Coordinates of all heavy atoms in Angstrom, one line a residue:
I7 N -2.7 8.1 -12.2 CA -2.3 7.1 -11.4 C -3.3 6.9 -10.3 O -3.6 5.8 -9.8 CB -0.9 7.4 -10.8 CG1 0.2 7.5 -11.9 CG2 -0.4 6.4 -9.8 CD1 1.5 8.2 -11.5
H9 N -6.5 7.5 -10.1 CA -7.8 7.8 -10.7 C -9.1 7.6 -9.9 O -10.2 8.0 -10.3 CB -7.9 7.0 -12.1 CG -7.8 5.4 -11.8 ND1 -6.5 4.9 -11.4 CD2 -8.6 4.4 -11.9 CE1 -6.7 3.6 -11.2 NE2 -7.9 3.2 -11.5
A34 N -2.7 -12.7 -0.4 CA -1.7 -13.0 -1.4 C -0.8 -11.7 -1.8 O 0.3 -11.9 -1.8 CB -2.5 -13.4 -2.8
K35 N -1.4 -10.6 -1.8 CA -0.7 -9.4 -1.9 C 0.3 -9.1 -0.8 O 1.4 -8.7 -0.8 CB -1.6 -8.1 -2.2 CG -2.3 -8.0 -3.5 CD -3.1 -6.8 -3.7 CE -3.9 -6.7 -5.0 NZ -5.0 -7.7 -4.9
G59 N -5.9 -4.4 8.3 CA -4.6 -4.8 8.8 C -4.0 -6.1 8.4 O -3.0 -6.7 9.0
G69 N 8.1 -11.1 12.3 CA 9.0 -10.5 13.4 C 9.2 -9.0 13.2 O 9.9 -8.4 14.1
R92 N -0.1 -9.9 20.9 CA 1.3 -10.3 20.9 C 2.0 -9.7 19.6 O 3.2 -9.7 19.5 CB 1.5 -11.8 20.9 CG 1.0 -12.5 19.7 CD 1.1 -14.1 19.8 NE 0.7 -14.8 18.7 CZ -0.6 -15.1 18.5 NH1 -1.5 -14.8 19.4 NH2 -0.9 -15.8 17.4
W97 N -1.2 1.1 15.4 CA -2.2 1.6 14.4 C -2.3 3.2 14.5 O -2.5 3.6 15.7 CB -3.5 1.0 14.7 CG -3.5 -0.6 14.7 CD1 -3.6 -1.4 15.8 CD2 -3.3 -1.4 13.6 NE1 -3.5 -2.6 15.4 CE2 -3.3 -2.7 14.1 CE3 -3.3 -1.2 12.2 CZ2 -3.2 -3.8 13.2 CZ3 -3.1 -2.3 11.4 CH2 -3.1 -3.6 11.9
A102 N -1.5 9.1 3.2 CA -0.3 8.8 2.5 C 0.5 10.1 2.4 O 1.8 10.1 2.3 CB -0.5 8.2 1.1
W116 N 5.0 0.2 2.3 CA 4.3 -0.3 1.2 C 2.9 0.2 1.2 O 2.3 0.6 2.1 CB 4.4 -1.9 1.1 CG 3.7 -2.6 2.3 CD1 2.6 -2.4 2.9 CD2 4.3 -3.9 2.9 NE1 2.3 -3.3 3.9 CE2 3.3 -4.3 3.8 CE3 5.4 -4.7 2.7 CZ2 3.4 -5.5 4.6 CZ3 5.5 -5.8 3.4 CH2 4.6 -6.2 4.3
L138 N 11.6 6.8 5.2 CA 12.4 5.7 5.0 C 13.9 6.0 5.3 O 14.3 7.2 5.0 CB 12.4 5.2 3.5 CG 11.3 4.3 3.1 CD1 11.2 4.2 1.6 CD2 11.3 2.9 3.8
G142 N 16.2 1.9 2.5 CA 14.8 1.4 2.8 C 14.1 1.2 1.4 O 14.3 1.8 0.4
I147 N 1.8 -2.3 -4.8 CA 1.2 -3.3 -5.6 C -0.3 -2.9 -6.0 O -1.0 -2.5 -5.1 CB 1.2 -4.6 -4.8 CG1 2.6 -5.1 -4.5 CG2 0.4 -5.7 -5.6 CD1 2.7 -6.3 -3.6
T156 N -14.0 -0.6 -16.4 CA -14.9 0.3 -15.6 C -15.3 -0.4 -14.3 O -15.1 -1.6 -14.2 CB -16.1 0.6 -16.6 OG1 -16.8 -0.6 -16.8 CG2 -15.8 1.4 -17.9
W163 N -4.3 -0.7 -12.1 CA -3.5 0.1 -13.0 C -3.4 -0.5 -14.3 O -3.2 -1.8 -14.4 CB -2.1 0.2 -12.5 CG -1.8 1.3 -11.4 CD1 -2.7 2.4 -11.1 CD2 -0.7 1.4 -10.6 NE1 -2.2 3.1 -10.1 CE2 -0.9 2.6 -9.8 CE3 0.4 0.6 -10.4 CZ2 0.0 3.0 -8.7 CZ3 1.3 1.1 -9.4 CH2 1.1 2.2 -8.6
G181 N 16.1 4.9 -6.1 CA 16.9 4.3 -7.0 C 16.5 2.9 -7.2 O 15.6 2.4 -6.6
V183 N 14.6 1.6 -9.3 CA 13.1 1.5 -9.5 C 12.7 0.4 -10.5 O 13.2 0.5 -11.7 CB 12.5 2.8 -9.9 CG1 10.9 2.7 -10.1 CG2 12.7 3.9 -8.7
A186 N 7.1 -4.4 -12.6 CA 7.1 -5.6 -13.2 C 5.6 -6.2 -12.9 O 4.9 -5.8 -11.9 CB 8.1 -6.6 -12.3
W196 N 0.5 -5.4 -10.7 CA 1.7 -4.6 -11.0 C 2.5 -4.5 -9.7 O 1.8 -4.2 -8.6 CB 1.4 -3.3 -11.6 CG 0.8 -3.3 -13.0 CD1 -0.5 -3.1 -13.4 CD2 1.6 -3.6 -14.1 NE1 -0.5 -3.3 -14.8 CE2 0.7 -3.6 -15.3 CE3 2.9 -4.0 -14.4 CZ2 1.1 -3.9 -16.5 CZ3 3.3 -4.3 -15.7 CH2 2.4 -4.2 -16.8
R203 N 17.8 6.2 -1.6 CA 19.2 6.3 -1.6 C 19.8 7.0 -0.3 O 19.1 7.8 0.4 CB 19.6 7.2 -2.8 CG 19.4 6.5 -4.2 CD 19.4 7.5 -5.3 NE 19.3 6.8 -6.6 CZ 19.1 7.4 -7.7 NH1 18.9 8.7 -7.8 NH2 19.0 6.7 -8.8

Side-chain angles (χ1 to χ4, degrees):
I7 298 167
H9 56 294
K35 291 184 182 72
R92 68 181 182 275
W97 306 105
W116 67 38
L138 282 167
I147 298 178
T156 60
W163 280 343
V183 175
W196 291 109
R203 292 170 174 161

